[in-house]
Structures are given as structure tokens and as C-alpha cells.
Amino acid sequence: MRIGQIRKIAITAVLAATSALAPAVGWAVTGTYYDRAFVLAAHEKCRLFAAPVAGALSAATLQAHGAALRAGATEADLTATARRARVRAAEVSCRNPELIIVRDRVTDAFQGWARTPRMDFPGTRASWTANRLRAAEPRWRLMQAGMTGASPVTFGLVAEETGREALSAVVSFVGRPRPYAARIVMRDPSLASRPWLTATGIGILPPETQRRTVWSAGTTSAEVSVLTEGRTQGEVWRFPDAGAADLAELDPREPFLIQFLFRDGSVATAQFEAGDFAAARAFVALGT
């Protein structure tokens, strides 16, 4: 790789870091993703960064991936872009002085970002809110708000008193029996390899034969600290950890459902957007 190319990546990587993960407005559709993917690949080869900076860079790369998809890139485009970035990184010596410049500039830019306690990850129609502050009571580490009818539903990762982060849905139903089960419904990538998109680029769920279902593992009364503001009661439904990995596979433009099943055969549904769940989850993984 030529000296000028590495220097350009150093500059754009720093600008990308200091943008606080805002969508890549004004950048070439895949340019920001290429730059972050290159720096990440160089780190994997040469161990350029300490763990907090490397974690922040990983989250930033995932978010650039989502921003590029929302800007019109295809998954095939981004796969090819990542491949080019890895090839370029493989060609660069770990002793290259320009790579040292990249390391120092990216470290300076991302060290402050890695200490950021809260961050919003906006999507097309909804956002994920991440919170890395330590708390004594259960607290949302990562959440997106939704509704089913007039009942609020919050979904994401809850930091429990044990220290474990549980994939959870919290709902406050009013004036009706409580559900006996809950499930996440999403596209199954093993059956539908690409998201279903409308002509305007909005994701929709595929037919039922191409969907994946993740059933809840149990429910308890929700602590006040995870209820929607103004609510005094609700239930928390916990899902297997594998459900988070399944959600991270989704295209950021597509929806998924949380459904609550009642003994009279009715189903209450809240719709959410996959958005930058993978990037926000990586940000939370940096720790409190």
C-alpha cells in the first residue's frame, strides 16, 4: 500500500471516530466502512490497540456497515469492500511508519469515545439506546422502545443484579389477562439469505416459512427500574442468549417482532427494528 493511501486512512479513521458514530452522511457509501475495516484488519494482524480501543473500533466498524446498507450498498458490496481492506492490511508491514501514525491517531480518537457512558444508535425508523453506567439495581444496558396497542414494550439487554446481561422484553399490560408465553419472530438467514425490502428500501418480514422463532425462557415481575416511565407494574420476559446472536445477523433495515400469547388464542405484537443492534451490543461489551 502506498504511503499516501495509509495516511489518508489515518485521517479518515480519526474523523470517523470523532463523529461519535453518526451515520456516514457525506461520505462515499462504502468509504468509511473500508477505512474502519482496514484499520481493524491491521490491528488483528499487528495488535495495534489496547482492548478498549479495539472494542470501540469493532463497534464503529459494525455501525459503518449498517450505515452503508442504509445508504444503498448491498451486502455483496460490503463483503467485497471488507475483502479489499483485509488484502490491503495483509500487504502492509507492521513496522511501516505510516501504520504507526494510524495507530497513534486512531488511539487518540477512540480513547475518549471508549469512555463514553451512553450512546444512541439511530436506525431508519427506530433507535437503540446503550447505557454503560454501573447501577445497583437492574438497568437497561441496551434498549429500544415499542408498543402493542396501548401497552408499552421495551426490548434489549438488561443488566441484572447478578451482573449478567439478559436479553429481555418488559411489558406493562393493563386491564387484560397476562400472557402465558412470549417469542421473538425474525427472518431466518438460513432460509432467506437476503432481507425482504420494499421498493423504497424498507425491510419487511418474509413469509412465515422463512422466519425464525426464539421462545422466552421464563418470566418474573419487573423491577421498577426497568419499567417504562409512569408505569408501576409489568413483567420481564427473558430469552436465551442465542437470541442476541440471531438478532445481530439481521440486516439493519429489517424488522422483528415480540409477540405475547394468551390462553384465549389472541396474540399481542410489538414491532421493532434490527437497526445497529450488533454495533450497540459491541459498544455495551466494552463494560461499565
Side-chain angles (χ1 to χ4, degrees), residues 18-240:
T18 56
S19 68
L21 289 187
V25 177
W27 295 84
V29 172
T30 60
T32 302
Y33 178 61
Y34 174 88
D35 292 336
R36 295 181 184 180
F38 166 80
V39 177
L40 189 60
H43 164 70
E44 291 169 355
K45 173 186 173 183
C46 303
R47 296 292 137 193
L48 299 174
F49 308 111
V53 174
L57 179 60
S58 295
T61 304
L62 287 168
Q63 213 236 5
H65 181 277
L69 286 172
R70 286 190 292 269
T74 66
E75 193 62 52
D77 293 333
L78 297 180
T79 297
T81 297
R83 186 183 302 113
R84 289 196 300 272
R86 289 193 297 270
V87 169
R88 289 291 191 184
E91 295 172 347
V92 177
S93 168
C94 293
R95 295 186 176 88
N96 187 308
E98 293 297 317
L99 190 60
I100 304 305
I101 293 175
V102 171
R103 181 199 65 192
D104 293 345
R105 291 182 178 177
V106 172
T107 296
D108 289 344
F110 273 109
Q111 274 180 338
W113 185 89
R115 292 192 294 268
T116 301
R118 297 187 183 92
M119 188 169 288
D120 288 330
F121 292 76
T124 304
R125 293 173 291 181
S127 297
W128 292 99
T129 297
N131 183 350
R132 294 168 52 216
L133 288 174
R134 184 179 289 110
E137 71 278 2
R139 179 71 61 89
W140 285 106
R141 283 278 173 259
L142 180 60
M143 56 83 67
Q144 187 177 130
M147 297 288 289
T148 176
S151 302
V153 182
T154 307
F155 179 78
L157 296 174
V158 171
E160 300 181 327
E161 293 175 346
T162 61
R164 175 177 178 270
E165 292 173 354
L167 188 66
S168 306
V170 174
V171 60
S172 296
F173 284 112
V174 179
R176 66 179 301 172
R178 299 296 177 256
Y180 70 87
R183 63 193 179 194
I184 308 171
V185 180
M186 67 186 89
R187 175 176 62 90
D188 187 338
S190 68
L191 299 174
S193 59
R194 290 180 293 182
W196 282 56
L197 302 175
T198 66
T200 58
I202 301 298
I204 59 175
L205 276 173
E208 291 188 10
T209 55
Q210 298 179 16
R211 298 179 186 179
R212 172 181 293 169
T213 299
V214 179
W215 290 93
S216 64
T219 183
T220 58
S221 295
E223 298 283 349
V224 173
S225 57
V226 296
L227 292 174
T228 300
E229 185 175 358
R231 302 289 172 153
T232 58
Q233 64 78 33
E235 296 80 44
V236 53
W237 293 83
R238 296 176 180 84
F239 296 89

